[in-house]
Amino acid sequence: MSLFEAIILGIVQGLTEFLPISSSAHLLMVPWIAGWTEPPFVFDTSLHIGTLIALLIYFRTDIINLLVSFIRLLKEKNIKENPDGRLAVLIIIGSIPAGLIGFLFENIIEKKLHSPYIIVTTLIVLGIFLWLIDRLSKKTRTLEGITVKDAIVIGIAQAMALIPGTSRSGITMTAALLMNFNRETAARFSFLLSIPITAAAALFKLKDLLKMNMTSEVITNFSVGILVSGIVGFLCIKYLLKFLRTNSFAVFAIYRIIVGLFLLFMAPGIKIENLE
């Protein structure tokens, strides 16, 4: 893998991790279209470290408030007068389904579900669902009104994002819209909810990264990929939240369907040796 490839894949990860269009599909598709040798699976993990850093930096104030409020909640045990502490508890609850399913079925998912045909199906079907639910949702609720039921529903949706092509942000935003949250709130809660599970997955996969033969070239490529994915991811979060204040998810739904149809025709020629 060259430095140029690392930069391009870092840009792809930074964009597609937060836009509801599936990073796994694009990290498979871009090397195939460009005729590159597929990067090692651990490189994908390193790119997620970059987008995790983007989340931590962008939501740093929210994260500090949530942590401080959660600690205060443990001491005072008064959840009604501690909205940030309550939100922290709901994020923990919402993270449990994906954490459990990922821990129990990670090997099965990696070996059995990384197929271009599964990615095609999830891209198209969930693109249609995103478009329909965005149109039908009342979009009247805000983050202050989130309940345990909402956190569980959105958390279960996040667990489904372990299926390649689904898009963690896409399916959690769709679930939030289904619960009638407005678009910006759906995106914000989706991002906050992704922090614990992304951090846990990155730490869990870190052992694979440490086992690699770290030549100076590998270190440079991985470092640049992480840096680029982090910068692009930060900008993507910022402008997506701004975009959703006045625009719908239709453009992302249409894009998913187009990419899915493209992959459907090209699937027989796609090699995914590192994933099978």
Side-chain angles (χ1 to χ4, degrees):
M1 181 179 65
S2 69
L3 181 60
F4 176 74
E5 291 172 22
I7 292 171
I8 296 300
L9 292 176
I11 294 172
V12 171
Q13 169 66 18
L15 285 173
T16 58
E17 178 68 13
F18 300 119
L19 299 180
I21 56 177
S22 176
S23 61
S24 60
H26 287 77
L27 289 174
L28 166 67
M29 183 173 66
V30 170
W32 179 77
I33 292 175
W36 300 337
T37 300
E38 189 177 344
F41 188 72
V42 71
F43 182 68
D44 178 37
T45 302
S46 72
L47 294 180
H48 279 79
I49 294 174
T51 45
L52 172 62
I53 293 171
L55 281 168
L56 295 176
I57 294 175
Y58 188 87
F59 291 106
R60 60 191 181 279
T61 302
D62 301 73
I63 293 169
I64 292 171
N65 288 339
L66 289 170
L67 289 174
V68 170
S69 299
F70 180 69
I71 293 171
R72 192 170 79 246
L73 178 62
L74 294 177
K75 293 179 180 179
E76 299 175 356
K77 297 180 173 59
N78 188 352
I79 199 166
K80 291 183 178 179
E81 296 183 8
N82 189 342
D84 283 338
R86 178 176 174 275
L87 179 58
V89 170
L90 294 176
I91 290 173
I92 294 171
I93 291 172
S95 300
I96 292 173
L100 283 175
I101 293 176
F103 178 77
L104 294 173
F105 301 107
E106 179 194 23
N107 289 334
I108 295 175
I109 291 169
E110 287 187 2
K111 292 178 180 178
K112 302 296 183 182
L113 298 184
H114 279 82
S115 158
Y117 295 103
I118 288 177
I119 292 173
V120 163
T121 301
T122 51
L123 278 170
I124 294 174
V125 172
L126 292 172
I128 294 170
F129 272 119
L130 176 59
W131 179 75
L132 286 174
I133 293 173
D134 186 35
R135 285 180 62 88
L136 297 174
S137 174
K138 295 179 182 177
K139 307 179 195 70
T140 55
R141 302 177 64 196
T142 61
L143 200 57
E144 291 74 19
I146 192 168
T147 66
V148 172
K149 177 184 175 183
D150 299 323
I152 292 173
V153 170
I154 300 171
I156 292 172
Q158 180 171 240
M160 293 173 62
L162 293 168
I163 301 172
T166 299
S167 170
R168 187 191 311 279
S169 60
I171 197 161
T172 50
M173 290 177 196
T174 301
L177 289 170
L178 184 63
M179 308 304 286
N180 292 314
F181 287 96
N182 65 52
R183 295 185 183 107
E184 186 179 0
T185 296
R188 181 171 290 273
F189 186 72
S190 168
F191 295 148
L192 290 173
L193 184 63
S194 72
I195 293 174
I197 198 69
T198 304
L203 288 173
F204 183 74
K205 290 289 187 181
L206 192 60
K207 65 181 188 300
D208 297 325
L209 190 60
L210 296 175
K211 290 178 183 177
M212 288 194 64
N213 180 22
M214 285 295 183
T215 64
S216 59
E217 182 182 5
V218 170
I219 292 173
T220 298
N221 291 346
F222 275 53
S223 299
V224 170
I226 291 171
L227 177 63
V228 171
S229 68
I231 293 172
V232 175
F234 180 91
L235 295 173
C236 186
I237 295 169
K238 177 180 178 180
Y239 289 107
L240 178 62
L241 290 172
K242 184 180 294 187
F243 175 84
L244 292 176
R245 289 171 192 160
T246 55
N247 296 277
S248 76
F249 283 99
V251 63
F252 303 114
I254 294 170
Y255 178 82
R256 286 182 68 103
I257 294 169
I258 292 173
V259 171
L261 292 173
F262 170 77
L263 287 178
L264 178 62
F265 288 108
M266 299 300 177
I270 298 177
K271 296 181 180 179
I272 48 175
E273 297 168 356
N274 289 339
L275 298 179
E276 293 184 329

